[in-house]
Amino acid sequence: MSDLAVLQAEISAAIVAARDERDLEELRVATLGKKGSISERLKALGKMSPEERKTAGVALNALRDAVAKNIEARRNVFAEQALEARLRTETVDVTLPARPESRGTIHPVTQVWQEVIAIFGDMGFSVAEGPHIETDWYNFGALNIPPEHPARQEHDTFYFHPRPGSNDRMVLRTHTSPVQIRTMETTKPPIRVIAPGRTFRSDSDQTHTPMFHQVEGLVIDEETHLGHLKGTLEAFCKAFFEVDAVKMRFRPSHFPFTEPSMEVDIGCSWEGGELKIGAGDSWLEILGSGMVHANVIRAGGLDPEKYQGFAFGMGIDRIAMLKYGIPDLRAFFEADLRWLRHYGFSPLASPSLAEGLSL
Ligand code: 2NL
């Protein structure tokens, strides 16, 4: 084998043996660099006779070009391998949930709203909704609250300007009762509905916000009686507060739209600064209720000689505070992210009786 053929074989073997780009660069310097084995031979061409130079020059130039080409090809292989390795370690599974954590939370009002729907839904109630802006009739008249009735003052109503040429003013509903009136108008008994929703009263202090949330319930049938009311509300309290037994007190009260009327208290106690619900020597008022007044049944388009039933109402914000130990009502509507993260619920666990109300 000629000297050049030996050199070519050595370089080819070295290219194959190179493990990485650094090996390859060393090899390039050692062959094609200033003092490289091929470069030295090219320099030596000058000392040859023209005859020798011609043949040796052609062979050397061919060797130089081939080595450069092979080194370049090997370099490309390394670059491709490096890219493949990087892609293997940097794969992204776009189907995974957002990381490092999910940021949004369910507001306690939404959570409790859904819990209440889950509980009454399980008892056979359906959910009804209606407009926030109501007529005087649906908000007051139909509920046995005529003009000049003292209950109107207590409601701190937001009134709209009367429409030109008319003296009837629309109102922001002060309770969700108009929804049940509308339900009576369109539904033949038996009626079993709850109406959760936003309500509005011009009242703002430690325990009142101008917008708040209420859920009312209405049951109308031919023989619905007070026992049904008590049983329904007891079942609700046990499910909502997630206790096996709950001490309850039905206290005589007065609402224009029910007769008789009663407010419902539940037993509670304070243990180590924490409110315990269900038992104890203290009482907490949680809702108002009663048998629907005959005038209201009539206003709903039904015959009070044939139909009777019960109704109840409670504040969603208030029962959310009680159940989840949230001290300040006003923080509910400040949209403070720290508060929302602290008191909020997982968006992935929606309340159900089967899976648990509050996980
Ligand atoms: C309370 C008291 C109550 C009702 C709401 C009602 C609705 C119709 C007919 C009769 Cl359509 N009653 N609703 C009845 C009793 C009490 O709410 O303290 N709410 C926070």
Side-chain angles (χ1 to χ4, degrees), residues 143 177 180-181 214 216 255 257-258 288-289 292 296 311-314:
L143 285 140
S177 313
Q180 289 110 278
I181 300 294
Q214 228 200 357
E216 290 199 18
F255 303 110
F257 27 85
T258 46
S289 65
V292 181
V296 178
F312 57 87
M314 61 190 138

Side-chain angles (χ1 to χ4, degrees), residues 138 142-143 175-182 184 201 212-218 220 229 254-263 285-293 296-297 309-316 318:
Y138 279 111
L143 285 140
H175 44 195
T176 57
S177 313
V179 178
Q180 289 110 278
I181 300 294
R182 292 172 183 280
M184 282 194 265
R201 293 186 192 186
F212 59 103
H213 300 84
Q214 228 200 357
V215 57
E216 290 199 18
L218 177 73
I220 304 278
L229 181 160
H254 177 267
F255 303 110
F257 27 85
T258 46
E259 181 60 38
S261 305
M262 50 239 212
E263 284 174 293
E285 181 186 324
I286 60 155
L287 56 88
S289 65
M291 299 304 293
V292 181
H293 197 290
V296 178
I297 297 207
F310 66 85
F312 57 87
M314 61 190 138
I316 292 179
R318 179 172 159 75

Side-chain angles (χ1 to χ4, degrees), residues 170-199:
M170 301 292 279
V171 303
L172 283 178
R173 68 181 185 192
T174 60
H175 44 195
T176 57
S177 313
V179 178
Q180 289 110 278
I181 300 294
R182 292 172 183 280
T183 302
M184 282 194 265
E185 287 179 335
T186 56
T187 316
K188 188 178 171 349
I191 294 171
R192 273 183 225 98
V193 285
I194 54 165
R198 293 190 164 198
T199 48

Side-chain angles (χ1 to χ4, degrees), residues 40 57 106 112 126 146 150 152 189 204 249 255 289 291 305 308 325:
E40 293 292 357
I106 298 297
V112 166
S126 36
R152 294 218 177 192
S204 188
R249 176 170 80 173
F255 303 110
S289 65
M291 299 304 293
E305 297 295 328
Q308 58 182 33

Side-chain angles (χ1 to χ4, degrees), residues 308-356:
Q308 58 182 33
F310 66 85
F312 57 87
M314 61 190 138
I316 292 179
D317 315 316
R318 179 172 159 75
I319 63 171
M321 293 171 78
L322 292 176
K323 179 167 180 178
Y324 293 113
I326 308 173
D328 184 5
L329 172 70
R330 285 172 298 187
F332 272 60
F333 308 115
E334 282 172 357
D336 183 326
L337 281 177
R338 292 165 304 176
W339 188 91
L340 290 166
R341 286 191 188 119
H342 182 77
Y343 288 111
F345 292 82
S346 164
L348 300 175
S350 64
S352 84
L353 290 185
E355 290 176 58

Side-chain angles (χ1 to χ4, degrees), residues 114-307:
Q114 289 172 350
E115 291 181 20
V116 168
I117 289 176
I119 295 166
F120 283 108
D122 189 62
M123 288 195 249
F125 284 71
S126 36
V127 177
E129 289 187 292
H132 293 172
I133 300 172
E134 274 292 4
T135 61
D136 193 279
W137 166 254
Y138 279 111
N139 195 76
F140 292 119
L143 285 140
N144 200 32
I145 312 174
E148 314 309 329
H149 191 289
R152 294 218 177 192
Q153 271 91 68
E154 288 160 36
H155 280 233
D156 301 306
T157 314
F158 285 112
Y159 287 97
F160 286 78
H161 290 301
R163 277 171 290 196
S166 141
N167 50 21
D168 66 298
R169 301 181 289 178
M170 301 292 279
V171 303
L172 283 178
R173 68 181 185 192
T174 60
H175 44 195
T176 57
S177 313
V179 178
Q180 289 110 278
I181 300 294
R182 292 172 183 280
T183 302
M184 282 194 265
E185 287 179 335
T186 56
T187 316
K188 188 178 171 349
I191 294 171
R192 273 183 225 98
V193 285
I194 54 165
R198 293 190 164 198
T199 48
F200 308 86
R201 293 186 192 186
S202 179
D203 195 354
S204 188
D205 60 34
Q206 286 263 345
T207 53
H208 297 88
T209 48
M211 186 282 301
F212 59 103
H213 300 84
Q214 228 200 357
V215 57
E216 290 199 18
L218 177 73
V219 174
I220 304 278
D221 205 346
E222 291 180 18
E223 294 180 337
T224 302
H225 56 68
L226 231 145
H228 296 131
L229 181 160
K230 293 182 79 170
T232 302
L233 294 180
E234 187 185 342
F236 168 76
C237 287
K238 284 200 273 194
F240 180 72
F241 291 108
E242 304 181 55
V243 290
D244 293 330
V246 63
K247 204 164 114 183
M248 294 179 87
R249 176 170 80 173
F250 291 76
R251 205 163 20 83
S253 184
H254 177 267
F255 303 110
F257 27 85
T258 46
E259 181 60 38
S261 305
M262 50 239 212
E263 284 174 293
V264 181
D265 301 336
I266 52 173
C268 67
S269 63
W270 290 91
E271 265 170 40
E274 231 195 286
L275 178 64
K276 266 201 64 189
I277 285 174
D281 296 325
S282 304
W283 294 102
L284 264 179
E285 181 186 324
I286 60 155
L287 56 88
S289 65
M291 299 304 293
V292 181
H293 197 290
N295 289 350
V296 178
I297 297 207
R298 205 174 292 115
L302 299 173
D303 178 6
E305 297 295 328
K306 186 169 182 198
Y307 295 114

